[in-house]
Amino acid sequence: MSSALLPKPQMRRLLARRMKFHLFGAFLLSVGCAALYKFGVADPRKRAYAEFYKNYDPMKDFEAMRAAGVFESAPPK
Amino acid sequence: MANHLQLGFQDASSPIMEELVEFHDHALMVALAICSLVLYLLTLMLTEKLSSNTVDAQEIELIWTILPAIVLILLALPSLQILYMMDEINEPDLTLKAIGHQWYWTYEYTDFKDLTFDSYMVPSTELPLGHFRLLEVDHRVIIPMESPIRIIVTANDVLHSWAVPSLGVKTDAIPGRLNQTSILTARPGVYYGQCSEICGANHSYMPIVVESTPLPHFENWSSLLSS
């Protein structure tokens, strides 16, 4: 009777293998979170400021606020 | 001013505040990366998928020494850049003094006209409709927009602090000391702040209101007030 031999399983450095796997995963997760924040919050905020100031007319803004009675030094006409 | 339940910064109204908001995003991103890493590892340890049963850990010790050093450098470089940017020589067009008292501010424009006034909070009982409770004052600090302004801050009695969050300014008012700060408003508008150093019973009731207007209106206002 012949018995098929199973391949010898890995018996050493199992914790090291698991640690390497999970540490790699942890770093990926943390970089992913940072990337999510960067592309979801930080970059849109930078773009919003750039867009706001691209065609910003301070005098037009001032006149609109003045008409609304916002200023103490410049009452509405 | 801040809206109800607002968690983040107010919209930046000066170039320095824009830089600070960007740096805060950067620092928060780093903090988020570190916190998510720690939380993940903690979860692994608590669910027994990871343990610290190891006697020789040279590689990981190297990683968790070098990586934090890199992170600290990544935080320090933009921080120092902004710090030095705040102290750049910018030849201000106007100098004004802000003097803290219990419990109001005095402003002195002594550059070209001898203009001095006190700024008291408008009590809630006298507040016109549509105005902001505990933030409005009887006399605002009027400054010309898009011009560098030097502000010398001091106090007459106890410690106060002159703060306007949307301009990125917070300067301690210390009796017997002159602290200097510089502001540049990128847009016309009205910017609110509050005393930021505990100074007694009415510490919460001595706000600061900066009004940024075009130069002709500022000149008109200053001639009216000093006459």
Side-chain angles (χ1 to χ4, degrees):
Chain A
M1 191 167 110
S2 64
S3 54
L5 284 172
L6 289 167
K8 186 177 180 182
Q10 186 182 353
M11 298 173 74
R12 302 256 183 272
R13 298 185 58 79
L14 289 165
L15 180 63
R17 191 177 77 165
R18 177 183 272 183
M19 272 179 84
K20 226 186 294 191
F21 175 78
H22 280 292
L23 278 173
F24 185 65
F27 277 115
L28 272 183
L29 176 75
S30 70
V31 167
C33 283
L36 211 68
Y37 186 84
K38 179 176 161 62
F39 294 110
V41 175
D43 283 353
R45 202 201 303 274
K46 246 191 271 197
R47 267 197 304 274
Y49 274 96
E51 281 298 317
F52 178 83
Y53 283 109
K54 200 159 64 165
N55 299 314
Y56 179 66
D57 183 357
M59 287 315 296
K60 186 170 156 211
D61 203 18
F62 169 73
E63 290 302 333
M65 283 192 275
R66 182 190 192 183
V70 164
F71 294 110
E72 180 186 298
S73 61
K77 287 177 194 162
Chain B
M1 54 149 246
N3 292 315
H4 303 93
L5 300 176
Q6 179 167 334
L7 293 176
F9 288 123
Q10 296 177 31
D11 286 340
S13 306
S14 77
I16 290 289
M17 190 57 196
E18 282 177 43
E19 295 289 331
L20 285 169
V21 166
E22 210 175 298
F23 173 69
H24 178 264
D25 277 338
H26 169 76
L28 198 58
M29 195 169 67
V30 170
L32 202 64
I34 293 168
C35 283
S36 56
L37 176 75
V38 170
L39 197 65
Y40 180 67
L41 292 176
L42 192 64
T43 315
L44 287 181
M45 297 237 180
L46 289 174
T47 53
E48 291 174 49
K49 293 197 172 40
L50 211 66
S51 76
S52 58
N53 297 338
T54 181
V55 292
D56 185 17
Q58 295 284 29
E59 302 92 353
I60 199 160
E61 294 255 347
L62 201 66
I63 292 169
W64 72 34
T65 306
I66 305 256
L67 221 55
I70 294 172
V71 165
L72 287 175
I73 291 170
L74 280 178
L75 285 174
L77 288 177
S79 170
L80 288 170
Q81 190 184 22
I82 297 174
L83 192 67
Y84 278 80
M85 204 185 288
M86 284 176 171
D87 277 343
E88 270 174 4
I89 313 286
N90 56 7
E91 295 190 16
D93 294 333
L94 177 71
T95 298
L96 78 102
K97 281 186 278 299
I99 303 163
H101 305 261
Q102 283 179 312
W103 288 281
Y104 61 98
W105 294 94
T106 300
Y107 298 105
E108 294 180 5
Y109 294 66
T110 47
D111 265 354
F112 43 92
K113 297 174 201 284
D114 204 7
L115 173 56
T116 303
F117 57 89
D118 294 337
S119 178
Y120 281 84
M121 183 189 83
V122 174
S124 303
T125 48
E126 295 167 28
L127 206 56
L129 210 61
H131 283 221
F132 301 123
R133 192 180 73 92
L134 307 185
L135 283 176
E136 300 288 355
V137 294
D138 53 2
H139 300 111
R140 294 172 172 175
V141 183
I142 317 285
I143 57 170
M145 71 183 196
E146 295 172 345
S147 309
I149 312 282
R150 178 195 283 126
I151 313 222
I152 311 272
V153 183
T154 185
N156 210 35
D157 35 43
V158 298
L159 296 180
H160 300 271
S161 185
W162 199 83
V164 183
S166 58
L167 301 177
V169 171
K170 185 178 290 179
T171 308
D172 282 355
I174 300 165
R177 182 184 170 88
L178 300 173
N179 280 334
Q180 176 179 297
T181 188
S182 176
I183 56 173
L184 192 150
T185 49
R187 311 175 261 126
V190 180
Y191 308 108
Y192 295 91
Q194 292 175 291
C195 178
S196 297
E197 186 66 47
I198 187 80
C199 54
N202 287 346
H203 155 69
S204 314
Y205 310 113
M206 48 182 294
I208 296 134
V209 184
V210 175
E211 184 176 300
S212 168
T213 55
L215 188 60
H217 295 276
F218 166 76
E219 287 173 339
N220 192 40
W221 166 83
S222 67
S223 7
L224 276 172
L225 228 64
S226 58
S227 58

